[in-house]
Amino acid sequence: MSRRPHDGHTEWCGKDHRCGLGEHRSEEIVIDIAARARAVLVRVRTAAGREHAEVRVRVALASGEVAARRQLVGLLGDVRQAVTRAAITGR
Ligand SMILES: [Zn+2]
């Protein structure tokens, strides 16, 4: 699989305003869960040639402070696990 087609972009590059300054960015891959949670993943190739995944997560928190903090603790644990697993797979 060629990473650089003739136009200079990567095969997966979104090729719009998001791609610029030597950085290629894919279209957003969105995980949407009934207005309660949303995750957006973008594949990025920097000008230096390094590639990485960028993930933004948005989760509705409970109105009660205790429940919200419980959610945050759970989310932090899950994110740490997901990031660690992805990093290990990349070695
Ligand atoms: Zn590009």
Side-chain angles (χ1 to χ4, degrees):
M1 185 166 71
S2 166
R3 284 193 158 174
R4 259 187 189 280
H6 300 301
D7 63 2
H9 294 276
T10 60
E11 281 181 356
W12 43 260
C13 182
K15 301 178 190 175
D16 58 11
H17 63 279
R18 289 169 297 209
C19 164
L21 301 172
E23 196 175 82
H24 298 283
R25 299 177 69 83
S26 71
E27 305 256 352
E28 294 184 336
I29 298 164
V30 179
I31 300 166
D32 221 330
I33 299 161
R36 299 285 305 161
R38 182 182 166 91
V40 181
L41 186 148
V42 175
R43 181 173 175 173
V44 181
R45 184 185 174 98
T46 67
R50 299 273 303 181
E51 287 194 19
H52 59 263
E54 229 175 67
V55 184
R56 206 167 57 238
V57 180
R58 188 182 173 108
V59 181
L61 293 178
S63 51
E65 184 60 20
V66 173
R69 285 184 184 223
R70 201 176 298 133
Q71 276 179 286
L72 289 168
V73 169
L75 181 62
L76 271 175
D78 290 347
V79 168
R80 176 192 289 273
Q81 205 170 51
V83 169
T84 303
R85 195 180 323 124
I88 288 169
T89 305
R91 276 203 209 123

